[in-house]
Tab-separated table of all heavy atoms in Angstrom:
chain	number	residue	atom	x	y	z
A	13	LEU	N	-19.344	-20.722	54.645
A	13	LEU	CA	-20.014	-21.713	55.472
A	13	LEU	C	-20.998	-22.540	54.658
A	13	LEU	O	-21.037	-23.761	54.744
A	13	LEU	CB	-20.740	-21.007	56.616
A	13	LEU	CG	-21.569	-21.894	57.550
A	13	LEU	CD1	-20.655	-22.889	58.262
A	13	LEU	CD2	-22.326	-21.038	58.556
A	55	ASN	N	-34.921	-33.181	45.498
A	55	ASN	CA	-35.365	-34.336	44.710
A	55	ASN	C	-34.243	-34.841	43.809
A	55	ASN	O	-33.128	-34.300	43.799
A	55	ASN	CB	-36.637	-34.012	43.910
A	55	ASN	CG	-36.410	-32.953	42.828
A	55	ASN	OD1	-35.279	-32.682	42.430
A	55	ASN	ND2	-37.501	-32.360	42.364
A	83	THR	N	-32.867	-4.008	55.073
A	83	THR	CA	-33.810	-2.895	55.188
A	83	THR	C	-33.756	-2.209	53.843
A	83	THR	O	-32.847	-1.431	53.544
A	83	THR	CB	-33.424	-1.942	56.327
A	83	THR	OG1	-33.369	-2.687	57.548
A	83	THR	CG2	-34.440	-0.811	56.460
A	90	LEU	N	-29.923	-0.878	42.664
A	90	LEU	CA	-31.080	-1.688	42.316
A	90	LEU	C	-30.936	-3.078	42.938
A	90	LEU	O	-29.905	-3.727	42.814
A	90	LEU	CB	-31.197	-1.811	40.798
A	90	LEU	CG	-32.447	-2.525	40.262
A	90	LEU	CD1	-33.675	-1.646	40.449
A	90	LEU	CD2	-32.258	-2.893	38.795
A	91	LEU	N	-31.982	-3.534	43.610
A	91	LEU	CA	-31.993	-4.865	44.209
A	91	LEU	C	-32.755	-5.819	43.305
A	91	LEU	O	-33.827	-5.478	42.796
A	91	LEU	CB	-32.657	-4.820	45.583
A	91	LEU	CG	-32.057	-3.839	46.600
A	91	LEU	CD1	-32.874	-3.858	47.890
A	91	LEU	CD2	-30.608	-4.177	46.888
A	104	PRO	N	-54.567	-23.717	41.260
A	104	PRO	CA	-54.127	-23.328	42.612
A	104	PRO	C	-55.014	-22.214	43.153
A	104	PRO	O	-55.127	-21.150	42.553
A	104	PRO	CB	-52.695	-22.852	42.387
A	104	PRO	CG	-52.673	-22.396	40.961
A	104	PRO	CD	-53.612	-23.294	40.223
A	118	LEU	N	-39.637	-12.843	49.272
A	118	LEU	CA	-38.494	-11.987	48.996
A	118	LEU	C	-37.863	-11.474	50.281
A	118	LEU	O	-36.644	-11.272	50.352
A	118	LEU	CB	-38.917	-10.790	48.136
A	118	LEU	CG	-39.606	-11.096	46.803
A	118	LEU	CD1	-40.023	-9.806	46.139
A	118	LEU	CD2	-38.674	-11.896	45.898
A	133	ALA	N	-43.750	-11.029	48.915
A	133	ALA	CA	-43.635	-12.363	48.338
A	133	ALA	C	-44.217	-12.370	46.939
A	133	ALA	O	-45.080	-11.544	46.601
A	133	ALA	CB	-44.349	-13.398	49.202
A	243	THR	N	-54.389	-32.215	50.967
A	243	THR	CA	-53.899	-33.565	51.290
A	243	THR	C	-53.451	-34.377	50.089
A	243	THR	O	-52.985	-35.507	50.265
A	243	THR	CB	-55.018	-34.350	51.999
A	243	THR	OG1	-56.157	-34.410	51.144
A	243	THR	CG2	-55.367	-33.689	53.311
A	255	THR	N	-31.652	-16.714	43.366
A	255	THR	CA	-30.656	-15.653	43.246
A	255	THR	C	-31.141	-14.450	44.037
A	255	THR	O	-32.311	-14.073	43.953
A	255	THR	CB	-30.467	-15.275	41.765
A	255	THR	OG1	-30.125	-16.447	41.013
A	255	THR	CG2	-29.372	-14.246	41.608
A	293	GLY	N	-16.785	4.089	55.473
A	293	GLY	CA	-15.661	4.948	55.172
A	293	GLY	C	-14.379	4.133	55.086
A	293	GLY	O	-14.388	2.901	55.174
A	320	VAL	N	2.206	13.765	49.102
A	320	VAL	CA	2.769	12.505	48.630
A	320	VAL	C	3.786	12.010	49.652
A	320	VAL	O	4.703	12.729	50.035
A	320	VAL	CB	3.450	12.685	47.259
A	320	VAL	CG1	4.111	11.379	46.819
A	320	VAL	CG2	2.451	13.152	46.213
A	333	ALA	N	-19.888	9.089	52.632
A	333	ALA	CA	-19.386	9.936	51.547
A	333	ALA	C	-19.746	9.357	50.179
A	333	ALA	O	-19.783	8.142	49.990
A	333	ALA	CB	-17.883	10.099	51.660
A	353	VAL	N	4.102	15.868	32.589
A	353	VAL	CA	3.014	14.884	32.634
A	353	VAL	C	3.117	14.098	33.938
A	353	VAL	O	4.169	13.540	34.260
A	353	VAL	CB	3.075	13.919	31.434
A	353	VAL	CG1	1.951	12.887	31.522
A	353	VAL	CG2	2.980	14.688	30.124
A	378	ILE	N	1.117	22.619	31.005
A	378	ILE	CA	1.676	23.314	29.854
A	378	ILE	C	2.568	24.458	30.329
A	378	ILE	O	2.113	25.346	31.064
A	378	ILE	CB	0.562	23.864	28.944
A	378	ILE	CG1	-0.420	22.743	28.553
A	378	ILE	CG2	1.148	24.527	27.709
A	378	ILE	CD1	0.219	21.618	27.800
A	382	GLY	N	7.388	30.550	27.657
A	382	GLY	CA	7.908	30.842	26.333
A	382	GLY	C	9.354	30.398	26.200
A	382	GLY	O	9.977	29.920	27.141
A	391	THR	N	27.278	45.614	23.640
A	391	THR	CA	26.521	46.297	22.570
A	391	THR	C	27.410	47.090	21.625
A	391	THR	O	26.985	47.408	20.503
A	391	THR	CB	25.472	47.229	23.185
A	391	THR	OG1	26.127	48.176	24.033
A	391	THR	CG2	24.436	46.435	23.994
A	399	GLY	N	44.024	46.177	17.284
A	399	GLY	CA	43.539	45.725	18.593
A	399	GLY	C	43.394	44.218	18.732
A	399	GLY	O	43.184	43.695	19.825
A	400	GLY	N	43.514	43.491	17.657
A	400	GLY	CA	43.431	42.040	17.748
A	400	GLY	C	42.000	41.527	17.868
A	400	GLY	O	41.036	42.170	17.446
A	402	GLN	N	38.473	40.625	19.255
A	402	GLN	CA	37.494	41.217	20.166
A	402	GLN	C	36.332	40.214	20.369
A	402	GLN	O	35.922	39.539	19.422
A	402	GLN	CB	36.957	42.535	19.619
A	402	GLN	CG	38.041	43.568	19.353
A	402	GLN	CD	38.735	43.975	20.621
A	402	GLN	OE1	38.094	44.285	21.637
A	402	GLN	NE2	40.081	43.964	20.603
A	412	PRO	N	18.167	27.586	28.310
A	412	PRO	CA	17.392	26.665	27.455
A	412	PRO	C	17.383	25.253	28.021
A	412	PRO	O	18.348	24.812	28.652
A	412	PRO	CB	18.140	26.732	26.119
A	412	PRO	CG	19.544	27.108	26.492
A	412	PRO	CD	19.416	28.030	27.683
A	434	GLN	N	39.338	40.700	5.054
A	434	GLN	CA	40.319	41.784	4.882
A	434	GLN	C	40.186	42.818	5.999
A	434	GLN	O	41.075	42.965	6.828
A	434	GLN	CB	40.138	42.455	3.510
A	434	GLN	CG	40.440	41.488	2.367
A	434	GLN	CD	40.445	42.190	1.015
A	434	GLN	OE1	40.756	43.387	0.902
A	434	GLN	NE2	40.118	41.432	-0.028
Side-chain angles (χ1 to χ4, degrees):
L13 177 63
N55 66 18
T83 302
L90 186 72
L91 304 177
L118 304 177
T243 59
T255 304
V320 176
V353 179
I378 306 299
T391 58
Q402 302 296 312
Q434 295 188 29

